[in-house]
mmCIF file with all atom_site columns, all heavy atoms in Angstrom:
data_model
loop_
_atom_site.group_PDB
_atom_site.id
_atom_site.type_symbol
_atom_site.label_atom_id
_atom_site.label_alt_id
_atom_site.label_comp_id
_atom_site.label_asym_id
_atom_site.label_entity_id
_atom_site.label_seq_id
_atom_site.pdbx_PDB_ins_code
_atom_site.Cartn_x
_atom_site.Cartn_y
_atom_site.Cartn_z
_atom_site.occupancy
_atom_site.B_iso_or_equiv
_atom_site.pdbx_formal_charge
_atom_site.auth_seq_id
_atom_site.auth_comp_id
_atom_site.auth_asym_id
_atom_site.auth_atom_id
_atom_site.pdbx_PDB_model_num
ATOM 1  N N   . GLU A 1 27  ? 33.487  -37.872 44.688  1.00 85.00 ? 27  GLU A N   1
ATOM 2  C CA  . GLU A 1 27  ? 32.263  -37.108 44.407  1.00 85.00 ? 27  GLU A CA  1
ATOM 3  C C   . GLU A 1 27  ? 31.634  -37.554 43.091  1.00 85.00 ? 27  GLU A C   1
ATOM 4  O O   . GLU A 1 27  ? 30.407  -37.644 42.966  1.00 85.00 ? 27  GLU A O   1
ATOM 5  C CB  . GLU A 1 27  ? 32.625  -35.618 44.357  1.00 85.00 ? 27  GLU A CB  1
ATOM 6  C CG  . GLU A 1 27  ? 31.432  -34.686 44.386  1.00 85.00 ? 27  GLU A CG  1
ATOM 7  C CD  . GLU A 1 27  ? 31.863  -33.241 44.428  1.00 85.00 ? 27  GLU A CD  1
ATOM 8  O OE1 . GLU A 1 27  ? 32.076  -32.714 45.522  1.00 85.00 ? 27  GLU A OE1 1
ATOM 9  O OE2 . GLU A 1 27  ? 32.027  -32.640 43.334  1.00 85.00 ? 27  GLU A OE2 1
ATOM 10 N N   . PRO A 1 65  ? 42.640  -26.848 37.929  1.00 88.00 ? 65  PRO A N   1
ATOM 11 C CA  . PRO A 1 65  ? 43.615  -27.714 37.246  1.00 88.00 ? 65  PRO A CA  1
ATOM 12 C C   . PRO A 1 65  ? 42.980  -28.407 36.035  1.00 88.00 ? 65  PRO A C   1
ATOM 13 O O   . PRO A 1 65  ? 41.771  -28.578 35.952  1.00 88.00 ? 65  PRO A O   1
ATOM 14 C CB  . PRO A 1 65  ? 44.001  -28.725 38.324  1.00 88.00 ? 65  PRO A CB  1
ATOM 15 C CG  . PRO A 1 65  ? 43.622  -28.087 39.617  1.00 88.00 ? 65  PRO A CG  1
ATOM 16 C CD  . PRO A 1 65  ? 42.435  -27.240 39.338  1.00 88.00 ? 65  PRO A CD  1
ATOM 17 N N   . ALA A 1 145 ? 40.489  -36.089 15.693  1.00 94.00 ? 145 ALA A N   1
ATOM 18 C CA  . ALA A 1 145 ? 40.015  -35.048 14.779  1.00 94.00 ? 145 ALA A CA  1
ATOM 19 C C   . ALA A 1 145 ? 39.124  -35.643 13.690  1.00 94.00 ? 145 ALA A C   1
ATOM 20 O O   . ALA A 1 145 ? 38.118  -35.040 13.296  1.00 94.00 ? 145 ALA A O   1
ATOM 21 C CB  . ALA A 1 145 ? 41.206  -34.321 14.165  1.00 94.00 ? 145 ALA A CB  1
ATOM 22 N N   . PRO A 1 211 ? 42.085  -55.581 6.999   1.00 93.00 ? 211 PRO A N   1
ATOM 23 C CA  . PRO A 1 211 ? 40.671  -55.885 6.726   1.00 93.00 ? 211 PRO A CA  1
ATOM 24 C C   . PRO A 1 211 ? 39.725  -54.799 7.212   1.00 93.00 ? 211 PRO A C   1
ATOM 25 O O   . PRO A 1 211 ? 38.635  -54.628 6.645   1.00 93.00 ? 211 PRO A O   1
ATOM 26 C CB  . PRO A 1 211 ? 40.442  -57.208 7.473   1.00 93.00 ? 211 PRO A CB  1
ATOM 27 C CG  . PRO A 1 211 ? 41.804  -57.796 7.631   1.00 93.00 ? 211 PRO A CG  1
ATOM 28 C CD  . PRO A 1 211 ? 42.730  -56.630 7.786   1.00 93.00 ? 211 PRO A CD  1
ATOM 29 N N   . ASP A 1 372 ? 0.261   -71.429 10.034  1.00 81.00 ? 372 ASP A N   1
ATOM 30 C CA  . ASP A 1 372 ? 0.517   -71.640 11.457  1.00 81.00 ? 372 ASP A CA  1
ATOM 31 C C   . ASP A 1 372 ? 1.058   -70.380 12.121  1.00 81.00 ? 372 ASP A C   1
ATOM 32 O O   . ASP A 1 372 ? 0.820   -70.143 13.313  1.00 81.00 ? 372 ASP A O   1
ATOM 33 C CB  . ASP A 1 372 ? 1.502   -72.805 11.654  1.00 81.00 ? 372 ASP A CB  1
ATOM 34 C CG  . ASP A 1 372 ? 0.898   -74.140 11.258  1.00 81.00 ? 372 ASP A CG  1
ATOM 35 O OD1 . ASP A 1 372 ? -0.349  -74.220 11.222  1.00 81.00 ? 372 ASP A OD1 1
ATOM 36 O OD2 . ASP A 1 372 ? 1.663   -75.078 10.951  1.00 81.00 ? 372 ASP A OD2 1
ATOM 37 N N   . HIS A 1 416 ? -5.249  -47.818 11.490  1.00 88.00 ? 416 HIS A N   1
ATOM 38 C CA  . HIS A 1 416 ? -4.439  -47.696 10.282  1.00 88.00 ? 416 HIS A CA  1
ATOM 39 C C   . HIS A 1 416 ? -4.248  -49.053 9.621   1.00 88.00 ? 416 HIS A C   1
ATOM 40 O O   . HIS A 1 416 ? -4.460  -49.201 8.397   1.00 88.00 ? 416 HIS A O   1
ATOM 41 C CB  . HIS A 1 416 ? -3.079  -47.084 10.629  1.00 88.00 ? 416 HIS A CB  1
ATOM 42 C CG  . HIS A 1 416 ? -2.129  -47.023 9.470   1.00 88.00 ? 416 HIS A CG  1
ATOM 43 N ND1 . HIS A 1 416 ? -2.260  -46.121 8.438   1.00 88.00 ? 416 HIS A ND1 1
ATOM 44 C CD2 . HIS A 1 416 ? -1.039  -47.783 9.166   1.00 88.00 ? 416 HIS A CD2 1
ATOM 45 C CE1 . HIS A 1 416 ? -1.295  -46.304 7.555   1.00 88.00 ? 416 HIS A CE1 1
ATOM 46 N NE2 . HIS A 1 416 ? -0.533  -47.308 7.971   1.00 88.00 ? 416 HIS A NE2 1
ATOM 47 N N   . LYS A 1 457 ? -12.170 -44.812 -1.805  1.00 81.00 ? 457 LYS A N   1
ATOM 48 C CA  . LYS A 1 457 ? -11.888 -45.377 -3.121  1.00 81.00 ? 457 LYS A CA  1
ATOM 49 C C   . LYS A 1 457 ? -12.370 -46.821 -3.211  1.00 81.00 ? 457 LYS A C   1
ATOM 50 O O   . LYS A 1 457 ? -12.756 -47.278 -4.299  1.00 81.00 ? 457 LYS A O   1
ATOM 51 C CB  . LYS A 1 457 ? -10.396 -45.310 -3.406  1.00 81.00 ? 457 LYS A CB  1
ATOM 52 C CG  . LYS A 1 457 ? -9.860  -43.891 -3.541  1.00 81.00 ? 457 LYS A CG  1
ATOM 53 C CD  . LYS A 1 457 ? -8.377  -43.908 -3.870  1.00 81.00 ? 457 LYS A CD  1
ATOM 54 C CE  . LYS A 1 457 ? -7.838  -42.492 -4.024  1.00 81.00 ? 457 LYS A CE  1
ATOM 55 N NZ  . LYS A 1 457 ? -6.379  -42.483 -4.340  1.00 81.00 ? 457 LYS A NZ  1
ATOM 56 N N   . LEU A 1 480 ? -26.431 -61.586 -12.914 1.00 85.00 ? 480 LEU A N   1
ATOM 57 C CA  . LEU A 1 480 ? -26.486 -62.394 -11.703 1.00 85.00 ? 480 LEU A CA  1
ATOM 58 C C   . LEU A 1 480 ? -25.718 -61.733 -10.567 1.00 85.00 ? 480 LEU A C   1
ATOM 59 O O   . LEU A 1 480 ? -26.138 -61.789 -9.401  1.00 85.00 ? 480 LEU A O   1
ATOM 60 C CB  . LEU A 1 480 ? -25.928 -63.788 -11.989 1.00 85.00 ? 480 LEU A CB  1
ATOM 61 C CG  . LEU A 1 480 ? -25.990 -64.798 -10.841 1.00 85.00 ? 480 LEU A CG  1
ATOM 62 C CD1 . LEU A 1 480 ? -27.440 -65.038 -10.422 1.00 85.00 ? 480 LEU A CD1 1
ATOM 63 C CD2 . LEU A 1 480 ? -25.324 -66.116 -11.244 1.00 85.00 ? 480 LEU A CD2 1
ATOM 64 N N   . ALA A 1 579 ? -36.842 -28.016 2.066   1.00 89.00 ? 579 ALA A N   1
ATOM 65 C CA  . ALA A 1 579 ? -36.601 -26.973 3.064   1.00 89.00 ? 579 ALA A CA  1
ATOM 66 C C   . ALA A 1 579 ? -35.334 -27.226 3.873   1.00 89.00 ? 579 ALA A C   1
ATOM 67 O O   . ALA A 1 579 ? -35.162 -26.641 4.947   1.00 89.00 ? 579 ALA A O   1
ATOM 68 C CB  . ALA A 1 579 ? -37.804 -26.866 3.998   1.00 89.00 ? 579 ALA A CB  1
ATOM 69 N N   . LYS A 1 620 ? -16.174 -28.696 -23.441 1.00 83.00 ? 620 LYS A N   1
ATOM 70 C CA  . LYS A 1 620 ? -15.778 -27.555 -22.620 1.00 83.00 ? 620 LYS A CA  1
ATOM 71 C C   . LYS A 1 620 ? -15.878 -26.239 -23.380 1.00 83.00 ? 620 LYS A C   1
ATOM 72 O O   . LYS A 1 620 ? -16.013 -25.181 -22.759 1.00 83.00 ? 620 LYS A O   1
ATOM 73 C CB  . LYS A 1 620 ? -14.348 -27.764 -22.114 1.00 83.00 ? 620 LYS A CB  1
ATOM 74 C CG  . LYS A 1 620 ? -14.197 -28.904 -21.138 1.00 83.00 ? 620 LYS A CG  1
ATOM 75 C CD  . LYS A 1 620 ? -12.789 -28.956 -20.570 1.00 83.00 ? 620 LYS A CD  1
ATOM 76 C CE  . LYS A 1 620 ? -12.658 -30.062 -19.543 1.00 83.00 ? 620 LYS A CE  1
ATOM 77 N NZ  . LYS A 1 620 ? -11.287 -30.128 -18.964 1.00 83.00 ? 620 LYS A NZ  1
ATOM 78 N N   . GLY A 1 845 ? 17.375  36.379  -31.290 1.00 42.00 ? 845 GLY A N   1
ATOM 79 C CA  . GLY A 1 845 ? 18.617  36.519  -32.031 1.00 42.00 ? 845 GLY A CA  1
ATOM 80 C C   . GLY A 1 845 ? 19.171  35.178  -32.378 1.00 42.00 ? 845 GLY A C   1
ATOM 81 O O   . GLY A 1 845 ? 18.466  34.277  -32.767 1.00 42.00 ? 845 GLY A O   1
ATOM 82 N N   . SER A 1 910 ? 3.407   14.007  -43.140 1.00 40.00 ? 910 SER A N   1
ATOM 83 C CA  . SER A 1 910 ? 3.065   15.424  -43.010 1.00 40.00 ? 910 SER A CA  1
ATOM 84 C C   . SER A 1 910 ? 4.263   16.314  -43.161 1.00 40.00 ? 910 SER A C   1
ATOM 85 O O   . SER A 1 910 ? 4.130   17.500  -43.350 1.00 40.00 ? 910 SER A O   1
ATOM 86 C CB  . SER A 1 910 ? 2.384   15.667  -41.665 1.00 40.00 ? 910 SER A CB  1
ATOM 87 O OG  . SER A 1 910 ? 3.283   15.376  -40.635 1.00 40.00 ? 910 SER A OG  1
#
Side-chain angles (χ1 to χ4, degrees):
E27 193 176 272
D372 292 339
H416 175 74
K457 294 182 179 180
L480 184 61
K620 293 186 177 180
S910 63

